[in-house]
Amino acid sequence: MYIGLPQWQHTAWHRIGLHTLADYSRYFNCVEGNTTFYALPSADTVLRWRDMTGDGFRFCFKFPATISHQAALRDCEPLVSEFFHTLSPLETRLGQLWLQLPAAFGPQGLPALWRFLDALPAGFSYGVEVRHPAFFSKGAEERQLNQGLAQRGINRVMLDSRPVHHADPANAAVRDAQRKKPQLPVHALCTAGRPIVRFIGGDKLEDNLAWFTPWFSKLADWQTSHPPFLFIHTPDCSDAPQQAQKIWQRLQQQVPGVGPAPDWPEQAALF
């Protein structure tokens, strides 16, 4: 199983010794690559990322917004080629490349999605995250999506934002996350070989552990035949490593093969 966070740097993490990607990769074996959604990195930056990680580390980069949002998956072949060319030095460390579609992308866009996915280079693991309500209705539109992804061996990315939306909006970080994160049903299903779970936690560890409880058995079931990616978020990610450590410790009890949790000094005062 791969466990990571939505980013590899945060100034708040300096107190536990996490300053760089190299520091991060000593404890976590994957990361969400949200940076590519906004802009592609330079060639030198990609090489630095390669040099700061080992062969067992996995990047899960997001397709750029120029492809998913601005071009709406149409006539974007040069953008796709540029994306793959830019990341080519990291080819052996690409865990999954995932497409986050806007809420406006509904069932009428499925033909464009199938054309886009069918044209992607073979040999990579891909994921798709949808946000249109029709894809969560358990009706014909959702079945069409799930079947199309399964036929192509594409993972449906699972976003669990229940914890943050049930958190007490007592601080600015929680309120900001509640404004930005979509509030959608959670459909835990595996359409291909490498499911991705994005757990969007609130700021209280005990509440997050309660919301995470159903995922323990699901991840354990998947682990043997469909090794998953798990990404732990918190409202502003300032305490994401510490919360991930606690969730990881509980996960270890059900999935011993998950490996040891990070061993930096625990600081209960952070919670």
Side-chain angles (χ1 to χ4, degrees):
M1 186 184 300
Y2 288 90
I3 303 176
L5 306 177
Q7 60 199 68
W8 58 72
Q9 281 183 306
H10 195 296
T11 54
W13 302 354
H14 295 177
R15 60 192 169 198
I16 56 172
L18 300 186
H19 297 267
T20 67
L21 173 58
D23 297 328
Y24 173 95
S25 67
R26 286 199 294 271
Y27 298 99
F28 298 97
N29 57 5
C30 66
V31 70
E32 283 189 14
N34 288 299
T35 180
T36 52
F37 182 76
Y38 302 101
L40 293 181
S42 68
D44 288 344
T45 296
V46 173
L47 292 176
R48 285 199 300 273
W49 292 348
R50 185 190 64 187
D51 293 343
M52 285 193 286
T53 55
D55 291 337
F57 191 83
R58 295 293 179 267
F59 294 91
C60 293
F61 288 112
K62 192 185 295 186
F63 279 93
T66 52
I67 294 170
S68 58
H69 289 58
Q70 296 170 26
L73 309 182
R74 294 173 172 83
D75 302 319
C76 53
E77 291 81 3
L79 296 172
V80 173
S81 296
E82 182 185 17
F83 177 63
F84 279 92
H85 176 73
T86 299
L87 299 178
S88 58
L90 293 170
E91 181 172 344
T92 60
R93 294 177 197 168
L94 297 179
Q96 192 162 138
L97 302 174
W98 55 292
L99 186 69
Q100 185 181 80
L101 295 170
F105 189 97
Q108 76 285 350
L110 286 179
L113 176 61
W114 305 145
R115 287 192 297 271
F116 177 82
L117 295 176
D118 291 343
L120 290 175
F124 296 93
S125 177
Y126 295 109
V128 173
E129 181 181 322
V130 292
R131 296 185 169 186
H132 192 283
F135 293 134
F136 296 86
S137 66
K138 296 187 177 182
E141 294 93 345
E142 183 173 8
R143 287 194 296 273
Q144 187 179 5
L145 170 70
N146 293 339
Q147 290 169 3
L149 293 176
Q151 289 166 2
R152 292 166 171 82
I154 306 293
N155 300 280
R156 179 170 175 176
V157 177
M158 288 158 278
L159 178 75
D160 187 353
S161 63
R162 296 172 301 173
V164 73
H165 283 292
H166 283 81
D168 182 2
N171 64 62
V174 172
R175 292 193 296 272
D176 186 57
Q178 290 174 338
R179 285 194 299 269
K180 293 178 178 177
K181 300 300 182 184
Q183 192 168 8
L184 294 163
V186 180
H187 291 181
L189 73 164
C190 183
T191 60
R194 300 306 304 267
I196 286 187
V197 176
R198 304 179 68 221
F199 182 80
I200 316 298
D203 60 338
K204 299 291 190 298
L205 174 65
E206 290 184 3
D207 293 343
N208 289 339
L209 286 171
W211 285 106
F212 196 87
T213 297
W215 286 112
F216 288 124
S217 58
K218 182 62 69 174
L219 292 167
D221 290 343
W222 286 336
Q223 169 66 8
T224 54
S225 56
H226 301 89
F229 288 95
L230 169 64
F231 295 108
I232 307 296
H233 296 232
T234 59
D236 61 2
C237 285
S238 61
D239 62 343
Q242 294 91 340
Q243 296 228 23
Q245 180 189 48
K246 294 294 188 180
I247 290 174
W248 197 327
Q249 289 169 350
R250 298 285 184 89
L251 187 59
Q252 241 184 319
Q253 298 171 12
Q254 297 202 34
V255 191
V258 75
D263 60 355
W264 55 68
E266 298 182 21
Q267 302 179 46
L270 291 175
F271 305 112

